[in-house]
Amino acid sequence: MISRQYTRKIAIYKTTNVSDGYGGNTVTDVLIGSYWAEVKQNSSFKDNSIGKSDIKNNYSFKIRANSTLTHNIDNLSIIYKGSKYVVNDFRYDDELFRFVNITANGIG
């Protein structure tokens, strides 16, 4: 493991329902943690499906595994360089469960 590999700071959020104080709930993002990651851009493409041109990016974030991140967590998002990316895939990178590879999509 090379420590210089993990040079980018990312923040991982989970979407949850929180009481709004008036008897209802509101959807907010709750910070799970900030991590050092190895970031790779998998692809970038232009989407014209709803009449406007958006550039969408697909990134891969590799971090060290810990007990707060489990593979059954859903509704995750990642903030990287001020942009929000929605998590699509969450996999362990090796057979010893030391590293997690997260694939996420976002609009750039």
Side-chain angles (χ1 to χ4, degrees):
M1 175 179 63
I2 300 172
S3 63
R4 293 179 300 256
Q5 241 178 328
Y6 304 97
T7 58
R8 310 281 190 227
K9 191 75 164 179
I10 63 169
I12 299 179
Y13 289 87
K14 179 174 175 37
T15 303
T16 58
N17 289 329
V18 177
S19 174
D20 63 359
Y22 296 101
N25 291 325
T26 182
V27 177
T28 59
D29 291 333
V30 177
L31 179 67
I32 292 177
S34 294
Y35 303 97
W36 290 102
E38 175 186 1
V39 179
K40 293 182 182 176
Q41 184 175 11
N42 296 334
S43 66
S44 179
F45 59 94
K46 189 179 277 191
D47 183 22
N48 294 320
S49 62
I50 57 173
K52 66 177 189 172
S53 178
D54 287 333
I55 296 176
K56 296 196 175 186
N57 297 319
N58 187 336
Y59 278 89
S60 173
F61 301 94
K62 184 177 176 183
I63 62 172
R64 293 186 184 117
N66 59 29
S67 61
T68 58
L69 292 173
T70 58
H71 66 280
N72 59 1
I73 289 181
D74 55 351
N75 298 328
L76 291 179
S77 61
I78 294 176
I79 303 293
Y80 172 63
K81 288 189 175 180
S83 298
K84 184 175 182 177
Y85 299 93
V86 178
V87 173
N88 293 337
D89 191 24
F90 185 92
R91 293 184 189 196
Y92 288 103
D93 196 44
D94 61 348
E95 63 275 353
L96 298 176
F97 305 108
R98 295 178 297 181
F99 304 104
V100 175
N101 195 6
I102 302 169
T103 305
N105 286 335
I107 298 174

